[in-house]
Amino acid sequence: MEKNYEADLPITQLISFNKLMEQYDVMAKSDNVTEAEKAQRILKAAEPYPELRDGFNDVSLLKKHKNIIHFVLQDIFPQVVTNNEIKTASLPYNDVIFNSSKRFKRILKDAGGENFIPQMRNLPEHQMYIVACTVILNFHYGFNFDFKRPFFYDIPDKNGVMRHYRILYNADFMEILPTDTAKELTQKDVDELLDNFDNIELWKEKIPPHSFVSKGFVISNMFDVTAEHSISEIKSSLIANDKRSSDNFMSDLQETFRLFFNSPDIKVGFVEYNPKENRFEKVFANGMESFLLGDKDALHCTTALCKSSYSRLLDQNNYFAISDVDRHYDISGGMALYDGLREKGIKSAILAPIADNGGLLGVLELVAYEPNVLNSVNANKLEDVMPFIVSAVLRTKAEESNLIDAVIQNECTSVHDSVYWRFEQEAKRFVKDNSEGRSATFKEIVFKNVYPLYGQIDIKDSSQARNTAIQRDLMIQLSTINKVLETAWQHSKLPIYEELMFRVNNHMDSIKESLHTNSEQAIFNFVMDEINPVFSHLKKSDNELNNLILSYESSVDMGTDSYYYYRRNYDESVTRINMRLASLIDKKQKNAQGMFPHYFERYKTDGVEHNMYIGNEIVGDQEFDMLYLNNLRLWQLQVMCEMEYAHYALKPKLAVPLDVASLVLVYSTSLSIRFRMDEKRFDVDGTYNARYEIIKKRIDKSYIKGTDERLTQAGKMVIVYSQKKDELEYLRYITFLRSKGYFTGKVEIVELEGLQGVSGLKAIRADILYKTKDNNQEKTYTYEGLMNELKA
C-alpha cells in the first residue's frame, strides 16, 4: 500500500476524515442522547490526532493510526454486514486501500494474501490527468460533465478462476480546494478543452499540476459481476468478427464458459444441424470440436442421440442435461450417446439447442470431467446467453453463405439461380478442403442431356448505322478544324497552315464516300499528334483564333477526344433498345422459371441474345418431361414477339430510328454443357456438340439458298431448324399464336444457303402482327403498315 499516488496530476490528494468529523460535530449536539454520546466518544478518540482532520499524504500513517481510523469509520463499516459486504475506504482512482470489510480481506487472501494489490481495470494512466480535471470542472467550477466510467477489479479466487468486481464510489467525504496556482476558467476555456480531449498540454495550461488539493476519502462498494461479465464476454466474442475469426477464439470462449459456470472443469463444443439430411455436421472453423461427433465429420441424429435427447433437442428445442454420464449409461443399458461421452472421459454434460423460430440450427455442447458439475439446474443459466449464440450462428451462416457466394463469384462469375445449387455444392467442398489444409480446386460443373434454346433480336444494319454516325462526326470535326486553320493562314500566311489544310481535305475526301477500316484511327492520330499542338500554340495569339479554337474544343467530347454528336445518338439509341428488350425478357423469365426451372442467360450486343438450357440434371430433384421443353419453346416464341412490340413502341422516341430482326434456333438433340472456368461461362461440351455453337454464330449472317436475300428481316420472326418434326411443331405454335394476334398468317418456308461446315438448314419466316394503342383502342398492323403509321 506504499505506492506513490502523488503523480503529476492537477490534484494533490490528502487522506482526511474532516468531512466525516464535521458530521460527528453536528451529531454530538443532537437531542438524541445515544447518538450524541457516540459522536462525542469518536471525536474525543480522534482529538489527539489533528492530522486526521488536516489531512496527510504519508500512507505509513494509515498503519500507525489503524485502530483509531477503524474506530472513526465504525458507522460506515458496521460489523453485522462485514462478512457480506465488499467494501473499502480508499483514495479515488487509486490502489491506496484501507479499513476493508472482512469479506474483501478474504477475497484478497484467496487471491494471494495480504501482499496482493488489486489493479483497477479501465484506468489508462495517460488519461488520468484529464479524468482528474473533469472532477475539478464539476466539483469546483460547477460545470456539468458526464465523466463517469465503470471501474472494475479483476481478482482470482482460490481456484484460480478470475472474478470481476464492479466499483461504485461514494464521494460524500471528499472536498476539493484550490491552491494559489488555480486559474479562473471561462466558458470559452471550457469549450476549448471539450474540443481537445487528447491535448494534455492544453489541459495542463488551463488546470496546472497541483493547482488543487483533495481532502478526504471515498467509500468503495464492490459487487461481484462475474456472471454479468462472462455474459458480456460471451456476447462480445460471438458478435465481434475479429474475435470469432481469431485462432484462440474457442479457448477464450471456453474460459468464459468456465467463468460463467464457476468451474475450471468445463469444455465447449458445437455441432451444426443439417435439416435436409437430419444429421449433425462438424463445424470446420476456429478449432471447434464436437463431443457428439468425435472424429467423425457427420452423424445422423438418431445415431448421435438417444430417444429422449432427440425429443428434447429436435422436437421441443429444449436443453438436455446429463448430471452423471456413468449412471445414465448403466440405466440406459449402454446407449450410444452415453457410451460415446464415457469413452472421452466425460462425466456430466449439457446439450443446448441453438434454435431460431422453432428451427434447429445446431447444438451447443458443454461437458465436464466431474459428475454433477453440469446439470438440469445450472442449465437454466444458459437462458441469458443463448440469444447471443443464436445470433452468432445466424450471422455465421450468413457469412458462410456470403463466403460461398464469393467463391462462386470469384471462380465462376455470376451464376443463374437455376444452377446455383450445383455451384453451392461445389463451393462447400472447396471451403471444407481449404479449411482442412488440403489443396482446394474448384472442379468444372457439367450438366448432361440438356436441351438448348437460342434466340436473338438483332439491330438491323447496325454496322452501317455506326459507320454513318462516325463518318458524319469526323466530317464535322475536320470541317471545323479546317475553318480554324484557314483563319490562321489568312492572319499569318505560314505555309505550314496551308499544308495542314491540304492534309485535312485529303482525310475528308477519303471518308466522304465510305469509311475505311483504319480511317477513324488515322484521323484520330492526326488530330492528337499534329492538330492539337498547333491549336495550343494558336490560342496564345489572336482573340478571333482563340474564340474559334475554344468553340471547337467545347464541341469535342472529353471521354473520346473527338466530335461525338452522331455517335452519341447512335450509342444512346442502341443502349435504350438493349435496356428495353433485356428488362422485358428478364421480367418474363421470372414467370417462366415458375413453370419449370431452367438455365437462362442473356447478353447485350447490338441487340439482345439469350441462351436457355432445360433438362433433368439442371433441376436435380424434379422430374423433367419433354412437355416442359415444348412449353418453353412456345413461351420463347411468344416473348420474342412481345419484345418486337416493345421495340417498335420505343422506335419513335429514338434519336436514330433503328430496326430489329428476330431469330430463333431450334435444336432437337440433347447435349452437355460445361462451365468453362477460364471464360467464366457455360459452353457446349464435346466436339459433336460444337456444331450447335457453329450454327449459332453463323446463321444471322446467312442467305436464302439461290438468292442474295438475307435470312433475317425486319417484321419477320425467323425460326431455323433441321428436322421435319421441328417444322411441324413450330407451325402449330404459329397457328396458335396467330389466333392470339401475334402473327398475320403469312408464313414461308425457305432453305438456307450452306454455311461453312453446316448444311441442310431450313427456316420458317412468319410475319409479325404488331399491336399499338390509339385512344385506348388496340390496333394491329403488319410491319409495312406499322412503318407507314410511324412515318405519318
Side-chain angles (χ1 to χ4, degrees):
M1 298 282 184
E2 297 183 358
K3 180 177 176 180
N4 178 20
Y5 56 87
E6 288 193 8
D8 185 21
L9 293 173
I11 298 176
T12 299
Q13 297 191 71
L14 298 179
I15 301 170
S16 168
F17 302 93
N18 182 55
K19 290 199 74 173
L20 178 60
M21 295 295 191
E22 288 177 347
Q23 289 194 24
Y24 283 130
D25 288 337
V26 174
M27 291 169 60
K29 300 173 184 177
S30 171
D31 295 335
N32 185 319
V33 176
T34 304
E35 184 180 276
E37 288 179 352
K38 179 180 179 181
Q40 291 166 6
R41 283 198 307 272
I42 292 172
L43 290 170
K44 186 175 181 180
E47 190 174 358
Y49 311 103
E51 61 268 31
L52 296 182
R53 280 187 183 261
D54 297 339
F56 57 89
N57 59 10
D58 182 0
V59 294
S60 66
L61 293 179
L62 289 171
K63 189 173 184 180
K64 181 179 179 181
H65 300 318
K66 178 180 178 182
N67 292 332
I68 186 61
I69 290 173
H70 181 75
F71 185 65
V72 168
L73 297 177
Q74 62 180 279
D75 282 347
I76 299 173
F77 291 86
Q79 287 297 307
V80 292
V81 292
T82 190
N83 287 310
N84 182 268
E85 288 187 334
I86 310 172
K87 182 190 287 188
T88 69
S90 65
L91 287 177
Y93 313 116
N94 208 298
D95 58 12
V96 176
I97 298 172
F98 55 95
N99 211 78
S100 308
S101 67
K102 286 185 179 179
R103 184 177 175 188
F104 185 74
K105 290 177 181 176
R106 191 164 60 248
I107 289 170
L108 294 188
K109 183 180 178 181
D110 290 342
E114 293 183 0
N115 294 325
F116 181 85
I117 301 175
Q119 299 294 316
M120 196 176 293
R121 189 180 3 129
N122 286 3
L123 193 62
E125 287 189 16
H126 68 283
Q127 290 182 5
M128 271 307 301
Y129 195 97
I130 296 171
V131 169
C133 285
T134 59
V135 174
I136 292 169
L137 288 170
N138 274 19
F139 286 91
H140 177 72
Y141 290 103
F143 294 101
N144 185 22
F145 292 114
D146 183 10
F147 62 90
K148 296 177 182 177
R149 296 179 59 194
F151 294 104
F152 299 88
Y153 281 139
D154 301 325
I155 306 174
D157 65 12
K158 60 185 177 183
N159 295 320
V161 176
M162 187 65 72
R163 312 293 298 178
H164 305 282
Y165 302 90
R166 181 167 182 177
I167 306 165
L168 294 182
Y169 284 136
N170 180 340
D172 289 348
F173 306 108
M174 290 289 297
E175 52 188 328
I176 295 177
L177 306 170
T179 67
D180 294 340
T181 58
K183 297 182 178 182
E184 291 295 325
L185 294 185
T186 65
Q187 184 65 49
K188 183 179 178 182
D189 293 323
V190 176
D191 291 342
E192 189 176 358
L193 290 172
L194 290 178
D195 289 333
N196 293 276
F197 178 79
D198 293 324
N199 188 346
I200 187 70
E201 295 306 319
L202 179 66
W203 286 84
K204 286 183 176 181
E205 176 193 331
K206 304 293 184 185
I207 307 175
H210 306 294
S211 56
F212 286 83
V213 172
S214 72
K215 291 178 62 178
F217 65 96
V218 293
I219 302 300
S220 301
N221 290 285
M222 284 160 276
F223 302 89
D224 190 337
V225 293
T226 304
E228 292 82 353
H229 179 272
S230 58
I231 291 172
S232 177
E233 285 296 298
I234 290 170
K235 178 181 177 181
S236 175
S237 299
L238 293 170
I239 290 177
N241 270 336
D242 57 340
K243 291 187 179 181
R244 288 188 296 133
S245 58
S246 66
D247 293 336
N248 57 348
F249 165 73
M250 275 306 295
S251 59
D252 290 346
L253 188 64
Q254 198 158 258
E255 193 63 38
T256 307
F257 269 105
R258 287 172 176 170
L259 191 64
F260 185 56
F261 281 94
N262 195 25
S263 171
D265 182 39
I266 285 178
K267 293 187 77 173
V268 182
F270 287 96
V271 69
E272 186 178 2
Y273 177 62
N274 182 341
K276 290 183 179 179
E277 306 288 340
N278 193 29
R279 67 180 189 178
F280 293 134
E281 297 177 351
K282 191 174 182 181
V283 180
F284 296 94
N286 298 319
M288 288 186 185
E289 60 179 324
S290 168
F291 304 100
L292 284 175
L293 298 180
D295 56 0
K296 298 180 179 66
D297 287 349
L299 265 182
H300 197 276
C301 293
T302 55
T303 304
L305 302 173
C306 63
K307 186 176 181 180
S308 178
S309 59
Y310 185 98
S311 174
R312 295 275 291 180
L313 290 171
L314 275 80
D315 298 335
Q316 302 172 33
N317 289 160
N318 213 334
Y319 307 119
F320 184 75
I322 310 167
S323 58
D324 189 332
V325 171
D326 291 337
R327 181 164 57 85
H328 280 76
Y329 174 80
D330 293 337
I331 293 172
S332 69
M335 280 188 176
L337 170 62
Y338 307 113
D339 189 36
L341 295 175
R342 279 179 78 249
E343 286 181 357
K344 302 175 183 69
I346 295 167
K347 301 299 182 181
S348 59
I350 297 173
L351 303 179
I354 305 170
D356 180 53
N357 292 324
L360 188 67
L361 304 171
V363 175
L364 167 68
E365 307 166 347
L366 297 172
V367 300
Y369 296 90
E370 292 293 334
N372 300 320
V373 170
L374 297 170
N375 51 70
S376 63
V377 176
N378 60 15
N380 288 279
K381 293 180 68 173
L382 290 171
E383 291 285 351
D384 296 322
V385 298
M386 288 310 292
F388 306 127
I389 295 175
V390 171
S391 296
V393 170
L394 288 172
R395 186 173 172 185
T396 300
K397 280 185 170 291
E399 288 170 356
E400 181 187 11
S401 178
N402 290 338
L403 175 60
I404 288 170
D405 279 343
V407 171
I408 293 173
Q409 294 292 332
N410 183 62
E411 298 290 335
C412 316
T413 195
S414 182
V415 173
H416 190 257
D417 289 346
S418 62
V419 294
Y420 182 85
W421 65 272
R422 181 64 185 86
F423 287 85
E424 183 181 38
Q425 194 179 66
E426 182 60 27
K428 281 186 175 180
R429 187 200 57 77
F430 181 96
V431 171
K432 179 176 179 290
D433 287 351
N434 194 51
S435 66
E436 293 179 345
R438 294 195 292 270
S439 177
T441 57
F442 200 96
K443 296 176 183 177
E444 287 188 324
I445 306 294
V446 179
F447 294 102
K448 298 179 180 179
N449 297 319
V450 295
Y451 293 89
L453 296 93
Y454 171 76
Q456 68 171 41
I457 296 187
D458 191 39
I459 295 174
K460 288 289 289 178
D461 303 321
S462 58
S463 298
Q464 182 181 332
R466 184 187 291 107
N467 286 343
T468 300
I470 295 170
Q471 193 176 3
R472 289 179 177 177
D473 282 341
L474 291 177
M475 288 294 289
I476 293 171
Q477 184 175 9
L478 291 171
S479 297
T480 309
I481 289 170
N482 224 6
K483 188 182 295 183
V484 177
L485 291 173
E486 188 175 342
T487 304
W489 160 251
Q490 289 172 355
H491 281 211
S492 57
K493 301 296 183 183
L494 291 180
I496 189 64
Y497 298 145
E498 194 174 17
E499 190 270 343
L500 285 172
M501 289 165 59
F502 171 75
R503 292 166 65 190
V504 168
N505 286 322
N506 282 345
H507 279 301
M508 290 174 69
D509 290 339
S510 71
I511 64 170
K512 192 173 293 183
E513 298 299 327
S514 62
L515 189 70
H516 300 294
T517 308
N518 63 341
S519 296
E520 183 181 7
Q521 188 62 47
I523 293 171
F524 178 82
N525 292 340
F526 169 66
V527 172
M528 295 295 291
D529 298 340
E530 304 194 46
I531 297 299
N532 287 353
V534 173
F535 280 12
S536 295
H537 166 72
L538 289 174
K539 278 199 296 187
K540 300 173 186 176
S541 53
D542 184 86
N543 278 339
E544 182 186 359
L545 274 172
N546 190 44
N547 290 337
L548 282 173
I549 294 169
L550 287 176
S551 176
Y552 161 75
E553 289 178 344
S554 67
S555 67
V556 171
D557 180 74
M558 294 179 65
T560 60
D561 285 321
S562 59
Y563 196 76
Y564 190 57
Y565 177 76
Y566 288 102
R567 272 176 288 184
R568 181 183 291 109
N569 288 342
Y570 170 81
D571 289 343
E572 288 178 354
S573 297
V574 169
T575 300
R576 290 189 66 185
I577 291 171
N578 285 347
M579 287 179 65
R580 182 71 186 93
L581 298 182
S583 66
L584 191 149
I585 195 169
D586 287 348
K587 182 179 179 181
K588 296 288 185 180
Q589 247 295 299
K590 293 178 182 178
N591 295 330
Q593 291 293 337
M595 300 174 192
F596 192 82
H598 56 278
Y599 179 79
F600 171 81
E601 65 179 0
R602 63 113 181 102
Y603 37 95
K604 304 170 187 175
T605 52
D606 284 349
V608 174
E609 300 178 44
H610 65 269
N611 287 310
M612 294 185 288
Y613 299 99
I614 189 168
N616 199 64
E617 284 213 0
I618 286 178
V619 290
D621 58 348
Q622 294 189 43
E623 190 67 34
F624 172 72
D625 189 277
M626 291 299 289
L627 172 72
Y628 296 117
L629 171 62
N630 299 333
N631 181 72
L632 194 58
R633 286 176 169 179
L634 177 59
W635 173 89
Q636 179 190 38
L637 201 57
Q638 183 172 326
V639 168
M640 288 189 67
C641 288
E642 292 173 7
M643 291 169 74
E644 284 264 0
Y645 301 159
H647 167 70
Y648 285 106
L650 177 67
K651 183 177 176 180
K653 304 171 187 176
L654 300 174
V656 181
L658 298 163
D659 277 324
V660 298
S662 296
L663 180 145
V664 170
L665 173 61
V666 184
Y667 200 78
S668 295
T669 308
S670 66
L671 43 76
S672 297
I673 56 172
R674 179 185 297 270
F675 191 85
R676 305 292 181 185
M677 303 302 292
D678 52 346
E679 299 177 18
K680 310 292 188 194
R681 67 180 184 86
F682 274 106
D683 201 354
V684 295
D685 188 36
T687 305
Y688 174 76
N689 294 325
R691 182 174 183 269
Y692 174 71
E693 288 293 331
I694 293 171
I695 297 172
K696 271 172 49 177
K697 292 174 182 176
R698 295 177 181 171
I699 50 173
D700 65 324
K701 300 293 190 289
S702 60
Y703 291 86
I704 295 175
K705 189 171 185 178
T707 71
D708 56 0
E709 181 184 344
R710 286 284 292 269
L711 173 65
T712 56
Q713 287 187 5
K716 295 180 183 291
M717 180 68 64
V718 176
I719 302 155
V720 178
Y721 60 93
S722 61
Q723 303 290 324
K724 184 66 176 178
K725 65 182 181 69
D726 295 328
E727 176 185 303
L728 297 174
E729 180 181 346
Y730 274 86
L731 287 174
R732 289 202 315 271
Y733 297 157
I734 291 169
T735 301
F736 168 67
L737 292 175
R738 178 191 173 191
S739 71
K740 299 190 73 173
Y742 286 90
F743 293 106
T744 66
K746 183 180 178 182
V747 176
E748 57 181 327
I749 297 175
V750 297
E751 191 174 344
L752 274 62
E753 194 72 60
L755 304 173
Q756 183 180 355
V758 180
S759 60
L761 294 177
K762 299 176 74 175
I764 299 170
R765 295 203 302 188
D767 285 17
I768 299 168
L769 186 63
Y770 293 91
K771 301 173 184 178
T772 64
K773 284 190 176 181
D774 185 16
N775 296 326
N776 296 322
Q777 296 289 322
E778 188 172 80
K779 294 187 177 182
T780 57
Y781 298 89
T782 63
Y783 174 73
E784 291 78 10
L786 180 63
M787 293 302 100
N788 291 332
E789 181 72 15
L790 292 176
K791 291 174 185 177

